[in-house]
Amino acid sequence: MRATAAVLPALLMALVAPLTACGAGSAVSDYGKVIKGSKGATVQVRVRPGQRFSLAVPDNPSVGDSWELAEVPDAKVASFISKERESEGDAPGSGGTSYFVFNGKRPGTTEVRLFDCWRCGQARTPSTEDSRQQSGEAIFAVTVAE
């Protein structure tokens, strides 16, 4: 019985270790088809049913960027999976890219709006003139078709 009790903790660690190492904090490892957008632009997106895709926007939280999904798309056409972020470097203040990951569902069209509330903090709305001028939307017109 003692041998079994000694093996159990080792077995549990062997099972848990791979789970804690997966993805380095990322919910998904496959971004699928990546479509780049930016503030003030509308980008056309065309995907197939069942196809994973990501809407990518440049960001730098250290200077005030804070991208969020402003409007959820029609879930019959595209379903939201997660928001991910990759940094361009390890140095403090490094910029990067935010990825909003979706899955194409049924044929149709929908619109995805991402909003960058620049230096808004927890308020989620621009409170200064400078913040209002630097904030903006990236719009993606999504078409899912066979």
Side-chain angles (χ1 to χ4, degrees), residues 20-88:
T20 58
C22 286
S26 175
V28 298
S29 60
D30 176 15
Y31 294 159
K33 178 180 181 178
V34 177
I35 300 97
K36 295 181 180 181
S38 61
K39 274 186 251 182
T42 299
V43 177
Q44 300 295 318
V45 178
R46 188 172 179 86
V47 295
R48 295 179 317 279
Q51 183 177 7
R52 180 170 287 189
F53 65 99
S54 295
L55 308 178
V57 287
D59 78 342
N60 190 340
S62 68
V63 298
D65 286 327
S66 180
W67 286 97
E68 296 297 329
L69 186 60
E71 187 175 313
V72 179
D74 182 347
K76 295 175 192 164
V77 179
S79 61
F80 178 65
I81 297 172
S82 69
K83 176 186 176 185
E84 308 295 327
R85 184 176 188 286
E86 288 188 7
S87 180
E88 291 174 357

Side-chain angles (χ1 to χ4, degrees), residues 1-12:
M1 196 69 160
R2 284 190 181 265
T4 304
V7 172
L8 187 57
L11 180 60
L12 286 174

